[in-house]
């Protein structure tokens, strides 16, 4: 049966669990998923500065660790770490392989970059506005599906590098390739999409995002294992992990991941189908083993979702700490001072007492902390305006409440993300072989 491992759930994930999966998991495929909504827009900015960059910043490190054992164990790697520059990533992988005296074949999948195919008239999903209201636009990448990956899989490349591909599709494509599923058998495609969705966030399903001491205890998080699936020809699968790793896979962890980022379980829209997770059946069949079956689906949508990155301004930010029996009162006084100094110029100014009111926008109960940290932030139009925020916070050293310390200030560009849709026929996918 087919065995697919999840080696990364986001751009900065740990590499050790992926290495263990390749060495001990008897895998056919390892998937490294490394793109969040803003990641590819930030990568496009890097590529603008240096055309040879724009792929995942950890690509080189990960390839140096994984490549020898991938080739030794005959495990194929599929990854979207190509981000804004799959071609640059492939060239770097081949360069590393030559340095290590290894022979490696890499396939790239491109075509998700649709910046030149959209315009200001496109409607924004989140707001109903037009893209012209979000200019300047930095990036626009369509979420490709399995049909973009299948030609690359047929090349028998050791590594397949993509840009934006829908997360479940990275896992679904090798299942379809291996078992020869019909792309219009949406019952199977829906079940395979569920497998991909369960695996895509790596350590989340093995207890990493699940753990809550005293309520949902998880052992061995310092050695958290990542999941892999043993997949049957009919699409049923068992989600599990290596025995000698920390974490847990149980009905609770699988259910939480099943619902993660799913707004409508009966209509989970992907490029490959509209999946129905509401009919899924989960069964614990052993320690750290959950069998998954019963998901279904219906026809794929006529459009691809497009993630659009745009320049949203500059974040000005400042922080300062207060400690002692009157820490809360001094923190609140600092807030009051900063609001009186800054609100007139920055009406959207946000002030927080971290640990007291920063997450829920109001103090809950009669909790009196011994220490608080004041954070002030505003979205500004220019760098100079943004610098004003941190400067006023720093000035509290001698112009504000007693005994402030640990002040810091920061200015950074803000990349906003909105979504639109593009017709399938406007996308041209290219597969290229390297090495």
């Amino acid at each position: 049966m087919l065995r697919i491992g999840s080696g990364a759930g986001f751009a900065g994930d740990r590499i050790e669990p992926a290495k263990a999966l390749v060495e001990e998991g008897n895998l056919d495929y390892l998937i490294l998923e490394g793109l969040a909504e803003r990641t590819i827009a930030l990568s496009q900015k890097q590529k603008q500065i240096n055309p040879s960059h724009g792929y995942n910043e950890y690509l080189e490190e990960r390839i140096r660790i994984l490549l020898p054992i991938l080739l030794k164990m005959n495990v194929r790697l599929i990854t979207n770490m190509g981000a804004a520059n799959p071609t640059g990533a492939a060239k770097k992988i081949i360069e590393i392989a030559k340095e290590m005296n290894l022979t490696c074949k890499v396939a790239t999948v491109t075509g998700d970059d649709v910046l030149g195919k959209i315009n200001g008239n496109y409607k924004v999903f989140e707001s109903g506005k037009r893209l012209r209201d979000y200019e300047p636009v930095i990036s626009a990448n369509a979420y490709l599906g399995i049909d973009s990956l299948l030609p690359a899989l047929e090349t028998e490349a050791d590594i397949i590098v993509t840009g934006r591909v829908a997360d479940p599709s990275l896992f679904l494509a090798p299942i379809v390739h291996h078992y020869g599923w019909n792309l219009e058998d949406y019952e199977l495609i829906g079940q395979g999409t569920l497998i991909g969705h369960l695996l895509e966030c790596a350590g989340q399903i093995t207890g990493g995002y699940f753990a809550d001491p005293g309520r949902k205890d998880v052992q061995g998080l310092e050695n958290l294992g990542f999941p892999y699936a043993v997949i049957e020809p009919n699409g049923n699968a068992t989600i599990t992990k290596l025995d000698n790793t920390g974490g847990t896979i149980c009905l609770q962890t699988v259910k939480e991941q099943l619902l993660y980022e799913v707004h409508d379980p009966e209509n989970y829209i992907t490029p490959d189908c509209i999946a129905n997770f509401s009919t899924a059946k989960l069964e614990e069949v052993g320690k750290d083993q959950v069998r998954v079956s019963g998901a279904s689906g219906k026809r794929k949508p006529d459009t691809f979702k497009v993630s659009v990155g745009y320049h949203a301004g500059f974040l000005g930010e400042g922080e300062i700490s207060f400690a002692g029996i009157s820490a809360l009162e001094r923190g609140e006084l600092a807030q009051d001072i900063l609001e009186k100094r800054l609100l007139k110029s920055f009406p959207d100014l946000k002030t927080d007492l971290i640990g007291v009111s920063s997450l829920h926008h109001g103090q809950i109960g009669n909790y009196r902390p011994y220490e608080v940290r004041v954070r002030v932030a505003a979205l500004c139009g220019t760098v100079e305006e943004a610098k004003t925020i941190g400067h006023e916070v720093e000035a509290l050293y001698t112009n504000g409440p007693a005994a402030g310390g640990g002040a810091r200030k920061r200015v950074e560009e803000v990349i906003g993300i909105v979504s639109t849709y593009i017709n399938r026929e406007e996308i041209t996918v290219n597969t290229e072989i390297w090495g």
Side-chain angles (χ1 to χ4, degrees), residues 363-380:
Q363 187 171 347
I364 299 175
N366 296 317
Y367 170 65
R368 291 193 57 78
Y370 182 79
E371 58 185 48
V372 298
R373 186 159 179 84
V374 179
R375 176 185 178 271
V376 184
L379 186 62
C380 307

Side-chain angles (χ1 to χ4, degrees), residues 322 328-341 349-353 357 374-376 396 401:
F322 298 92
L328 180 58
E329 287 79 9
R330 283 177 285 138
E332 290 172 338
L333 177 56
Q335 278 186 299
D336 182 63
I337 293 169
L338 291 165
E339 287 172 357
K340 287 177 178 176
R341 289 177 177 170
L349 185 80
K350 187 175 188 297
T351 65
D352 297 309
L353 295 180
S357 61
V374 179
R375 176 185 178 271
V376 184
L396 292 179

